[in-house]
Amino acid sequence: MKSDLLNLTEDQRTIRDLAREFAKNEIAPYIAEWDENAYFEPSIVQKMGDLGFLGMLIPEEYEGLGLDTSTYLIALEEIAVVDASTAVLMSVHNSLPTQMILRFGTDEQKNRFLPGMARGEILGAFALSEPDAGSDAAALTTQAVHEGDEWVLNGTKSWVTSGNHAGAIITMARTDTPRDRKGARGIGAFIITPDLPGFHVGKKEDKLGLRASPTVQLTFDNLRVPATNLLGLPHMGFVYAMQSLENGRLGIAAQAVGIARAALEAATAYAAERHQFDRPIREFQAIQFKLADMATRVAASRTLLHAAARAKDRGENVKQATSMAKLFASETAMFATNQAVQIFGGYGYVKDYPVERLFRDAKVTEIYEGTSEIQRIVIAREQYHEHR
Ligand code: CAA
């Protein structure tokens, strides 16, 4: 693209170039095979940790890079252009578990987890959804019961990104009692580690896209968690999760921008090479209009995303802005990858070219970390709020 409209600083360019090089050398050569075999390459985590990509928002006192949100999202977009699977690992780790420990954890919890998370030794995951609690996340039923110095957890968590490789899984569980349900205000957040007795990794999902990123079910069978692993207040876990999903949704928006940009770049190159009716197909307005719409929506998504990120770093209320960014960017990813497949024609439908993978990868951005319908609900509620 001619202009990304972001006016990057020198440091941001350096980090963008580092992410671009890493993705080009360490991921691009393998991604078709990983996608085909639904294979997750564990060494990627350590490599990302060594380069600082897993501690981008963690302050330097905990061995992170302590960067602003925009710089983190620039790096994330570069990774997503090459591989959306690696991007979701990076997004979840940086946006959810590390941020939850940083914002709501005790000094002891921060010292115990954050340096290892920044270095890539402890991969983070986030477990909110359950088989029967998706969009209605507050309806979760995993139960935590306080017994002495421990909490005992029973239940099943679904759709946990990196859940079978994670060393710290922030898990939301009910802390109210079946006799006295308190809805969204009866949920706690716990730092679960896989060594705890009663922790079981269940089904690994066989997915349409993001096949190089493992998504698993986790089951807790009388899982005993030390009370020192409770994050913040025992009834505030849902609110913490919602606040943190504002970061998460920015990460998914950056991932979606990356997928859309990859589709745009692939389609632009192909339209120059492919000849039909004695000329490159980019000379036809039907193709030009598609590329123009794709480029415009990518630029608009990125602009909205970074406006939200900067507002967040200024400490403003970004509940609506983060949902807008996620909604618009994920619908752009779906739009752009669909157009790219159309421009490639039959070649867009086969695995010889990357656009069929981009098309499959794009879809989940409209689903996870809140579906597009949930983002619209959040946006509309904030709109009513303003006019109350
Ligand atoms: N910041 C601060 N507080 C917030 C908040 C936010 N962003 N969002 C909600 N809250 C607070 C509310 O103020 C409310 O507090 P009070 O009790 O004081 O009123 C409380 O949390 C409950 O909120 P709601 O009344 O809005 O709750 P709700 O049940 O109506 O649900 C919802 C709201 C927006 C639908 C929410 O359930 C939601 O976002 N659902 C989607 C779930 C989701 O995004 N899941 C993604 C899972 S992670 C994932 O995808 C896996 C992965 O690894 C990638």
Side-chain angles (χ1 to χ4, degrees):
M1 196 180 308
K2 290 287 168 234
S3 167
D4 59 19
L5 304 173
L6 289 186
N7 192 22
L8 302 187
T9 64
E10 197 67 30
D11 285 352
Q12 287 174 330
R13 282 177 203 279
T14 304
I15 285 171
R16 180 198 63 187
D17 294 348
L18 184 69
R20 192 174 284 176
E21 277 301 295
F22 165 75
K24 188 175 131 211
N25 297 329
E26 305 289 346
I27 305 172
Y30 315 107
I31 185 57
E33 193 185 323
W34 294 348
D35 172 63
E36 177 74 18
N37 300 321
Y39 175 73
F40 169 68
E41 174 50 55
S43 67
I44 281 290
V45 177
Q46 195 52 61
K47 286 177 186 164
M48 292 178 86
D50 292 344
L51 290 168
F53 293 139
L54 297 180
M56 299 196 91
L57 300 174
I58 296 176
E60 288 176 19
E61 63 176 305
Y62 300 110
E63 299 187 35
L65 297 182
L67 296 170
D68 61 276
T69 305
S70 266
T71 307
Y72 153 58
L73 297 173
I74 287 161
L76 186 48
E77 178 187 324
E78 288 308 316
I79 306 279
V81 168
V82 171
D83 177 27
S85 290
T86 307
V88 75
L89 174 152
M90 179 173 164
S91 175
V92 169
H93 176 94
N94 279 288
S95 304
L96 293 165
T98 56
Q99 287 302 295
M100 287 183 84
I101 294 172
L102 192 61
R103 281 178 80 176
F104 310 115
T106 60
D107 285 346
E108 185 276 325
Q109 288 168 340
K110 291 180 201 171
N111 285 315
R112 185 153 44 114
F113 289 100
L114 292 179
M117 294 179 94
R119 289 194 300 263
E121 289 156 13
I122 304 172
L123 183 60
F126 179 79
L128 174 65
S129 304
E130 297 183 356
D132 296 318
S135 290
D136 187 5
L140 64 88
T141 60
T142 293
Q143 185 70 51
V145 177
H146 201 180
E147 283 185 11
D149 289 343
E150 294 175 323
W151 289 83
V152 183
L153 268 64
N154 280 287
T156 298
K157 291 290 172 183
S158 308
W159 314 116
V160 185
T161 300
S162 315
N164 53 343
H165 290 272
I169 302 143
I170 306 295
T171 301
M172 273 45 74
R174 303 217 71 84
T175 49
D176 56 8
T177 63
R179 280 165 175 253
D180 186 18
R181 285 293 184 222
K182 300 216 158 45
R185 290 298 182 131
I187 293 170
F190 299 86
I191 311 172
I192 303 291
T193 55
D195 56 305
L196 295 171
F199 176 91
H200 304 289
V201 175
K203 181 180 171 221
K204 177 175 173 262
E205 304 296 344
D206 186 6
K207 296 177 295 180
L208 174 71
L210 290 198
R211 290 175 56 76
S213 157
T215 304
V216 296
Q217 262 195 0
L218 298 176
T219 301
F220 309 135
D221 183 10
N222 286 320
L223 177 94
R224 304 190 84 86
V225 193
T228 49
N229 282 27
L230 173 72
L231 264 188
L233 299 168
H235 63 283
M236 284 293 285
F238 183 81
V239 176
Y240 300 156
M242 288 297 124
Q243 286 176 340
S244 307
L245 276 166
E246 292 177 10
N247 304 319
R249 287 166 184 169
L250 289 178
I252 300 308
Q255 180 199 31
V257 171
I259 298 169
R261 195 182 108 201
L264 172 62
E265 289 173 357
T268 305
Y270 185 78
E273 280 165 23
R274 172 76 171 166
H275 284 65
Q276 291 290 278
F277 305 103
D278 298 325
R279 67 191 65 179
I281 60 170
R282 73 174 184 185
E283 290 185 13
F284 296 107
Q285 278 193 336
I287 301 296
Q288 290 167 7
F289 287 2
K290 287 191 197 313
L291 294 173
D293 288 346
M294 290 159 78
T296 304
R297 291 195 202 189
V298 169
S301 301
R302 188 189 286 115
T303 304
L304 188 54
L305 168 64
H306 286 274
R310 285 192 295 269
K312 176 180 172 295
D313 286 350
R314 289 194 300 270
E316 294 171 20
N317 177 347
V318 289
K319 200 170 171 183
Q320 188 182 49
T322 53
S323 282
M324 284 177 170
K326 199 262 185 188
L327 172 67
F328 195 74
S330 57
E331 292 192 346
T332 294
M334 217 41 230
F335 171 81
T337 55
N338 190 24
Q339 296 303 313
V341 170
Q342 194 67 23
I343 291 170
F344 273 74
Y347 294 108
Y349 203 63
V350 294
K351 292 182 189 289
D352 300 351
Y353 289 90
V355 291
E356 68 83 31
R357 174 172 54 82
L358 297 173
F359 181 77
R360 288 185 285 108
D361 285 351
K363 183 60 202 172
V364 76
T365 66
E366 293 184 324
I367 298 172
Y368 61 18
E369 300 211 13
T371 60
S372 292
E373 292 74 14
I374 291 296
Q375 305 311 329
R376 287 186 166 89
I377 286 170
V378 173
I379 293 164
R381 280 186 185 175
E382 288 299 291
Q383 202 61 25
Y384 301 153
H385 199 68
E386 270 178 24
H387 289 93
R388 220 178 267 163

